[in-house]
Amino acid sequence: MATSRKAAMGFIFITLLIDVTGLGLIIPVFPKLITELIHDDISAASEWGGWLTFAYAIMQFLFAPVLGNLSDKYGRRPVLLFSLLGFGIDYLFLSFAPTIWWLFAGRLIAGITGASFTTATAYIADISTDKDRAQNFGMVGAAFGLGFIIGPVIGGLLGGFGSRVPFLVAAGLALLNALYGYFVLPESLDKANRRPFSWKRANPLGSLVQLRRYPSMGGLIGAFVLIYIASHAVQSTWTYINIEKFQWSEAMIGYSLGMVGLLVALVQGGLIRIVNPRLGNEKSIYVGLIMYALGLMLFAFASQTWMMFAFLVPYCLGGIAGPALQSIISGEVPANEQGELQGALTSVMSATSIVGPLLMTHLFAWFTGPAAPVQFAGAPFLVGAILMLISAILSWLALHKRKIVTA
């Protein structure tokens, strides 16, 4: 059984790695493509970028619980393959977009079908034990990290041949990944653990209501929400801020994201397996969130390119928090509801992606625009640091209450 679980983790890791590599390919050139289509500067492009993320996120919010519940009924494998196919179609739309509205069409398709991480986390929950759940969830972060070592570096270099070339390569990767999954990826959910599909539980609000049945879930979900909103200070504005402050090229953006990927892979693929068993889930959350806040604060006031690379170290060390928090939440839910839980958490993440990118990109646009009271491109990083500290406080309050209830 242990050997079978290890093999399944290998399959899901490779699937996620290819998926994230495709995503990483397009990030360095996305601002350039937007500026070409809107015929405006980087400040305006950041606002359009925020709205494109919003379009993706609103579809994710609506459809992630549906796909999560479908995976509880039909298994993880078919839903994951459907998701990968959707990403391939999205990248093709982006590759050949003649106007900015084609980008929106592609993002809407990807949002509807984009359940790869939802299904992957449910898959991991299926094959994990209480002892190794946090470490296995860390492998999602490791795949994300390695994909971001490979994808952005190659994407930045391919961007030199044209802003659309990385999108074509990403489309090819996504479609090849779907083929790989079709022939290689095994099913993880036993038929005995499946349950009927319910529209009541599959709507985004309904799936969130289901979370209230579990003790301490509300406070932890609140912390989860703030972490993901804060993370958009980096995810949604990293390229725009560094182009504005340091005039980074697509290649330099790719190298920086490659460094992020390397550090995330080291932390979540290796360090977390040492740190989490020694600190435990609760202390891992606190330490991780403090490191996130420190890294964001340093980003906000960095004045040279080398500082952005150096300050990635404390920021990426914060990655020990997420898997620990997810492990505690996952441990509250029975096996036949893991797909529903992960779908609900993805809806939470998508809800934050409705708010986070708009908040952070508009902060950047405001503080780099002509009407700004002070020119401060690092404003999104500063706000993100504050949100991380609030999240740490919420986590402490929720876990302290949980101890009292279970005492």
Side-chain angles (χ1 to χ4, degrees):
M1 181 66 72
T3 302
S4 176
R5 284 199 298 266
K6 184 177 286 188
M9 275 301 301
F11 288 130
I12 203 70
F13 178 82
I14 293 297
T15 299
L16 285 173
L17 175 62
I18 297 172
D19 195 21
V20 176
T21 299
L23 176 64
L25 277 168
I26 71 171
I27 292 176
V29 295
F30 211 40
K32 182 179 179 182
L33 179 60
I34 295 173
T35 57
E36 289 175 357
L37 292 175
I38 66 172
H39 308 292
D40 210 332
D41 62 15
I42 197 69
S43 184
S46 72
E47 293 187 271
W48 281 99
W51 285 112
L52 284 163
T53 306
F54 171 87
Y56 173 82
I58 196 73
M59 292 296 102
Q60 271 271 288
F61 179 74
L62 295 173
F63 286 93
V66 176
L67 295 176
N69 276 265
L70 285 173
S71 80
D72 281 341
K73 177 176 174 60
Y74 296 107
R76 317 302 184 200
R77 184 174 179 272
V79 175
L80 184 57
L81 295 179
F82 175 70
S83 171
L84 295 173
L85 186 62
F87 273 123
I89 295 170
D90 166 42
Y91 294 140
L92 287 174
F93 265 84
L94 302 182
S95 301
F96 297 105
T99 69
I100 191 72
W101 304 112
W102 276 56
L103 300 190
F104 279 97
R107 294 282 77 192
L108 289 171
I109 292 169
I112 292 169
T113 62
S116 57
F117 277 90
T118 306
T119 314
T121 49
Y123 191 110
I124 290 169
D126 292 339
I127 62 174
S128 298
T129 63
D130 290 341
K131 184 178 179 181
D132 63 8
R133 185 177 286 113
Q135 293 94 319
N136 286 344
F137 277 130
M139 292 304 290
V140 176
F144 189 90
L146 286 174
F148 262 71
I149 295 170
I150 301 167
V153 173
I154 296 175
L157 295 173
L158 288 175
F161 297 99
S163 59
R164 297 171 190 266
V165 174
F167 294 93
L168 287 169
V169 176
L173 276 178
L175 296 175
L176 285 173
N177 201 7
L179 279 176
Y180 166 81
Y182 180 81
F183 288 108
V184 177
L185 191 69
E187 180 55 65
S188 66
L189 185 64
D190 294 334
K191 291 186 177 180
N193 287 329
R194 300 184 188 185
R195 64 173 178 81
F197 180 85
S198 166
W199 279 109
K200 181 179 179 181
R201 298 172 74 169
N203 76 77
L205 296 179
S207 65
L208 294 178
V209 168
Q210 295 296 322
L211 297 174
R212 295 173 59 186
R213 295 185 296 149
Y214 307 104
S216 302
M217 197 69 80
L220 294 176
I221 293 299
F224 198 78
V225 166
L226 292 184
I227 290 169
Y228 276 91
I229 291 176
S231 70
H232 279 284
V234 173
Q235 293 176 24
S236 298
T237 63
W238 179 264
T239 53
Y240 301 104
I241 289 173
N242 286 304
I243 290 171
E244 174 71 18
K245 288 180 69 173
F246 307 117
Q247 294 76 52
W248 281 8
S249 65
E250 290 90 348
M252 181 61 77
I253 293 168
Y255 297 145
S256 71
L257 293 174
M259 178 63 74
V260 172
L262 176 61
L263 291 171
V264 169
L266 290 174
V267 170
Q268 299 204 16
L271 185 63
I272 195 172
R273 293 178 176 268
I274 300 170
V275 172
N276 184 268
R278 293 185 180 182
L279 292 181
N281 284 330
E282 185 174 347
K283 288 182 180 177
S284 293
I285 291 170
Y286 303 145
V287 172
L289 291 176
I290 290 170
M291 295 306 290
Y292 269 145
L294 175 62
L296 286 165
M297 187 73 71
L298 292 170
F299 287 152
F301 297 99
S303 58
Q304 296 183 48
T305 285
W306 69 265
M307 293 180 179
M308 299 302 290
F309 281 83
F311 298 157
L312 283 171
V313 175
Y315 178 77
C316 290
L317 285 173
I320 66 173
L325 180 60
Q326 196 165 16
S327 178
I328 290 175
I329 294 173
S330 177
E332 300 284 330
V333 176
N336 67 347
E337 296 180 10
Q338 286 294 334
E340 178 183 45
L341 170 68
Q342 301 305 332
L345 291 180
T346 300
S347 285
V348 171
M349 291 164 58
S350 297
T352 65
S353 294
I354 294 169
V355 177
L358 291 180
L359 171 64
M360 299 304 178
T361 55
H362 280 72
L363 272 173
F364 169 76
W366 170 254
F367 279 98
T368 56
V374 59
Q375 292 290 307
F376 183 36
F381 294 141
L382 182 58
V383 172
I386 294 169
L387 293 177
M388 287 295 186
L389 292 175
I390 296 172
S391 180
I393 295 169
L394 284 179
S395 297
W396 182 86
L397 291 173
L399 293 172
H400 182 67
K401 180 180 178 181
R402 182 171 177 263
K403 288 178 183 177
I404 294 173
V405 171
T406 57

